[in-house]
Amino acid sequence: MRLRSLVAAVAATAMGISLAACGGGDKNDTSGGSSGDQTLTYWASNQGTSLDNDKEVLTPVLKKFTDETGIKVNLEVIGWNDLQTRIQTAITSGQAPDVVNIGNTWAASLQATDAFLPFDGDAMTAIGGKDKFVPTALATGGKEGTDPTSVPLYGLAYGLYYNKAMFAAAGLQPPKTWEEMVTDAKKLTVPGKQWGMALAAGSYTENVHFAFINAAQNKADWFNGEGKPTFTGDGNVQGVLRYLDLMQKDKVANPSNAQYDNGTKSVNDFATKKVAMVINQNNADSSIVANGMKAGEYGVVPFPAPAGGEQVASHVAGINLSVFKNTKHKDAALKFVKYMTDATTQSTLDKPFAALPVLKDAKPNFTTDAAEAATFQDVYNTKSKPLPLVPAEDQFESTVGKAMNSMFAKIATGGTVTADDVKAALKTAEDQVAASS
């Protein structure tokens, strides 16, 4: 069941379900009571190299929380392929944890189910106040103008990785505009040897991210102020076409990239020096180094906008933390959220999980490359925009992303995609989203 469908189902039942926390302790304790008799259940998302790796990283951090508060934490790490379904099932069944990680793009859709605790004045104060967070990160917590039902935990942002040696050999500087990026990519495309860029052109999630970013650079929006889809606006159409043209018109990406259904495949091509550039999030570093590329062999600059375009280089990517509204341990859960978003805990977790700080004035520690760290932090803090903060956001991702998959597949097999074709595909996606609203 998609999140949008879940919203409708929950509304139809008027939230007539009881969301019981799975944690142990005193089942009648709703105020938090004494800390020592409480156990929280925490569902964490997979951030490390494996589920076991996450447990290794989180276990001592959670033990420290227990030592400080007396509150025990039952940890379950859930893979991304299963997390959304597990959350949906928890909402409808009532068998929910106390605290859960969510992809921050799900925030508005989950908020609409009314199953999560709003971080209103008192709750926000209990976790340390909104002013401690990077504003762009906190903005992902729910629909604009409402109390958020999630707060930022780990930050991520896109950057343009480039091969320093390839650029130097061609006498090129890292690009500052889209036009420079395309010109560089053309010069760095050597038939039979290397390509200028690699794209995850078969991944609907990656594709929709770049549909959003390219449209934002055109000052275009995918939804109006009432949350209705406006997919066919010229800024959206031209933004999508500009991205498709990297493979189609500019011919700087291998047509086989249309089969790349995740970002790791394009990153691996970059790491093995088959391509000169790749656009990926900052957690790509570990994959790049694991594939044999040394840290000093690549650099990172913001994903460039066209000359005169809006300086949006990424969506605000990352992981948020939510508390189920009917937890039996509200106060304990809020103490846990405060702890997980404390500066010391954040610093401890950001390095192994290759995350950007979500707290003001915090310094990134996911890399020892000061220039790379500064670039990603600047992108995250000042050049990022949240994906649409509407309940239908998940439908936007699915319909538009999969439409782009199909258009890339057409290009890869020798077909042509025009602006009219893009508009028609986006109209179909818009109609599907409107019909489900």
Side-chain angles (χ1 to χ4, degrees), residues 384-404:
S384 296
K385 182 179 179 181
L387 284 167
L389 299 170
V390 297
E393 192 281 331
D394 68 307
Q395 289 286 79
F396 158 67
E397 288 199 32
S398 177
T399 58
V400 172
K402 290 177 181 178
M404 290 182 67

Side-chain angles (χ1 to χ4, degrees), residues 172 178-188 252 277:
L172 300 173
W178 179 274
E179 293 82 0
E180 290 178 2
M181 183 185 76
V182 171
T183 298
D184 291 350
K186 288 179 178 179
K187 290 180 180 178
L188 291 163
V252 297
M277 290 180 277

Side-chain angles (χ1 to χ4, degrees), residues 26-307:
D26 183 359
K27 298 298 181 181
N28 297 315
D29 176 17
T30 59
S31 65
S34 62
S35 298
D37 62 354
Q38 294 184 75
T39 300
L40 296 174
T41 296
Y42 171 43
W43 287 359
S45 54
N46 178 205
Q47 301 300 130
T49 57
S50 66
L51 301 185
D52 286 339
N53 173 245
D54 281 84
K55 292 175 185 176
E56 291 172 5
V57 170
L58 288 169
T59 296
V61 174
L62 301 184
K63 182 180 183 301
K64 182 180 177 183
F65 172 73
T66 300
D67 291 343
E68 292 178 358
T69 65
I71 302 168
K72 298 176 183 178
V73 182
N74 281 338
L75 169 68
E76 182 177 357
V77 181
I78 302 173
W80 282 106
N81 289 339
D82 300 317
L83 182 59
Q84 192 179 76
T85 299
R86 291 285 300 276
I87 293 172
Q88 293 163 357
T89 302
I91 292 172
T92 56
S93 71
Q95 299 302 307
D98 299 284
V99 185
V100 63
N101 286 13
I102 68 168
N104 66 8
T105 64
W106 307 344
S109 298
L110 289 174
Q111 181 185 47
T113 67
D114 198 36
F116 294 90
L117 180 74
F119 287 93
D120 56 16
D122 290 342
M124 186 62 76
T125 298
I127 67 168
K130 66 180 182 180
D131 289 341
K132 73 178 185 179
F133 295 107
V134 173
T136 51
L138 187 60
T140 65
K143 184 179 178 181
E144 188 174 2
T146 66
D147 290 322
T149 51
S150 65
V151 293
L153 180 63
Y154 308 124
L156 295 166
Y158 279 104
L160 178 67
Y161 287 80
Y162 66 94
N163 183 304
K164 290 181 178 179
M166 290 182 185
F167 268 70
L172 300 173
Q173 295 297 316
K176 296 181 179 179
T177 66
W178 179 274
E179 293 82 0
E180 290 178 2
M181 183 185 76
V182 171
T183 298
D184 291 350
K186 288 179 178 179
K187 290 180 180 178
L188 291 163
T189 297
V190 181
K193 181 180 178 183
Q194 71 186 39
W195 291 87
M197 301 189 73
L199 308 175
S203 165
Y204 85 85
T205 53
E206 290 290 292
N207 278 335
V208 78
H209 292 165
F210 292 111
F212 174 80
I213 295 166
N214 279 276
Q217 292 172 344
N218 294 345
K219 303 178 183 179
D221 293 312
W222 292 90
F223 292 85
N224 64 21
E226 298 177 348
K228 303 297 184 184
T230 55
F231 295 178
T232 57
D234 188 61
N236 296 331
V237 172
Q238 293 302 319
V240 169
L241 185 61
R242 183 166 71 239
Y243 188 66
L244 294 172
D245 274 345
L246 291 172
M247 182 182 291
Q248 177 174 241
K249 184 181 75 174
D250 305 322
K251 300 186 185 303
V252 297
N254 192 333
S256 68
N257 287 178
Q259 300 176 44
Y260 283 12
D261 59 1
N262 63 71
T264 301
K265 294 179 180 179
S266 55
V267 168
N268 289 348
D269 279 357
F270 176 75
T272 53
K273 303 178 182 178
K274 296 176 183 177
V275 302
M277 290 180 277
V278 69
I279 314 157
N280 210 279
Q281 294 175 5
N282 54 285
N283 55 2
D285 282 24
S286 57
S287 292
I288 292 172
V289 174
N291 277 277
M293 194 175 197
K294 297 178 182 178
E297 292 182 304
Y298 63 86
V300 183
V301 294
F303 175 53

Side-chain angles (χ1 to χ4, degrees), residues 343-394:
T344 300
T345 307
Q346 285 280 294
S347 180
T348 299
L349 293 175
D350 280 352
K351 188 171 184 178
F353 291 155
L356 292 168
V358 298
L359 303 179
K360 290 180 182 176
D361 303 323
K363 302 298 182 184
N365 63 3
F366 73 96
T367 176
T368 57
D369 186 324
E372 180 187 0
T375 294
F376 274 116
Q377 192 68 68
D378 180 57
V379 169
Y380 185 74
N381 287 11
T382 70
K383 296 182 176 67
S384 296
K385 182 179 179 181
L387 284 167
L389 299 170
V390 297
E393 192 281 331
D394 68 307

Side-chain angles (χ1 to χ4, degrees), residues 307-344:
E310 195 77 7
Q311 294 302 305
V312 178
S314 180
H315 75 286
V316 185
I319 313 305
N320 285 6
L321 204 57
S322 289
V323 175
F324 271 86
K325 182 184 288 186
N326 282 10
T327 173
K328 301 296 184 183
H329 310 300
K330 175 182 173 181
D331 288 355
L334 291 174
K335 287 180 181 178
F336 181 69
V337 172
K338 181 179 182 180
Y339 172 81
M340 291 296 286
T341 58
D342 171 81
T344 300

